[in-house]
Amino acid sequence: MPYLAVDTATQTLTVAIGERDRLLAEASVVVKKNHSNRLMPLIESLLVSADLTPEDLKGIVVGHGPGSYTGVRIGVTTGKMLAWALKIPIVGVSSLDGLAMHYRDADCLVCPLFDARRKQAYCAVYGRREVPRDGGGDVAADGQAIFAKMEPDAIRKLEDLFPLLERRLAERESIGSSRRVLFLGDGADHYRDLIVDRFGQQACFPASGARKLVRAAHLLEAGIRRIEAGDTAVAERFAPQYLQLVEAEAKLLGMQTSDACGKDGAC
């Protein structure tokens, strides 16, 4: 039962096809633009390489953001179109998960950052913690310890993110765990000097360029489990997770609020 996963939330255009616990094909391309022109040909070539047709797919997994507004929209729109046309289920998975899961075995905090400009980033915080064997809802599990999302996806100013990470590091120190943070993504590259100034040797960064990129295969792992559990979305109502309004929407909302409140400011 093959499933398709796509993510276009960052400069990495990534596509994977697989079954539960089995990756059949994957391809990733780092491009600054033209995701919309490249996505469908990449999906088609991957299906051919796996000797499959679209009709063989049993579900769609989409990186629903956060990330580039245009990029997220391209992946979500394509996923919705395929799910609707093929009449198969669709599920959204955080694009940050697709990056963080490179380091699910790391003994440290993991903080993927997608640059949102103005010293802010789309981010989440992950780490390993012990849970009961039947614990669910986390990114990955191996029995006694799981790689869990400890702070939810959000757009955060660095001035808010840094104290949050320091609190999490203090918690880890109290139980004898590593007091280090692994920073990932283009936000980690862009704000590296600020990060090092604040955290010093507690901050670390990927040594491999390949492990700085979102992987559709990681999204596939989480998405297949959710589809098989029936945790799916209706294609027509499936929506991106932008986490903030784009500038035009924010201005329109401000104008509507101003008109509703009247000239004297009374709402």
Side-chain angles (χ1 to χ4, degrees), residues 170-246:
E171 292 172 2
R172 290 178 61 83
E173 183 179 37
S174 69
I175 59 174
S177 297
S178 168
R179 278 179 53 87
R180 303 195 75 187
V181 185
L182 176 60
F183 293 92
L184 312 172
D186 64 347
D189 292 336
H190 189 74
Y191 298 117
R192 183 166 183 151
D193 290 345
L194 294 174
I195 291 169
V196 172
D197 285 346
R198 183 68 173 254
F199 292 94
Q201 294 184 350
Q202 291 180 314
C204 48
F205 303 86
S208 167
R211 302 189 84 182
K212 295 181 179 181
L213 308 178
V214 175
R215 279 193 64 185
H218 291 159
L219 302 179
L220 198 63
E221 293 176 36
I224 289 176
R225 289 196 299 270
R226 288 178 52 190
I227 291 174
E228 292 181 346
D231 180 17
T232 60
V234 176
E236 292 84 346
R237 295 199 293 270
F238 183 68
Q241 301 296 308
Y242 293 126
L243 299 186
Q244 70 168 344
L245 297 175
V246 295

Side-chain angles (χ1 to χ4, degrees), residues 59-108:
I60 307 291
V61 181
V62 179
H64 61 188
S68 159
Y69 177 82
T70 300
V72 172
R73 185 179 61 195
I74 290 168
V76 167
T77 300
T78 302
K80 289 175 65 172
M81 176 191 69
L82 289 171
W84 179 82
L86 298 171
K87 295 180 173 55
I88 55 178
I90 184 171
V91 66
V93 177
S94 168
S95 299
L96 293 165
D97 289 2
L99 179 56
M101 284 178 65
H102 279 296
Y103 293 93
R104 57 185 144 191
D105 296 322
D107 181 26
C108 61

Side-chain angles (χ1 to χ4, degrees), residues 19-30:
E19 302 171 340
R20 189 176 180 90
D21 301 321
R22 183 185 177 206
L23 181 64
L24 300 176
E26 183 181 23
S28 299
V29 181
V30 180

Side-chain angles (χ1 to χ4, degrees), residues 98-125:
L99 179 56
M101 284 178 65
H102 279 296
Y103 293 93
R104 57 185 144 191
D105 296 322
D107 181 26
C108 61
L109 293 180
V110 177
C111 184
L113 304 170
F114 297 159
D115 185 20
R117 296 182 296 180
R118 300 173 184 173
K119 293 185 180 180
Q120 57 185 0
Y122 301 108
C123 58
V125 181

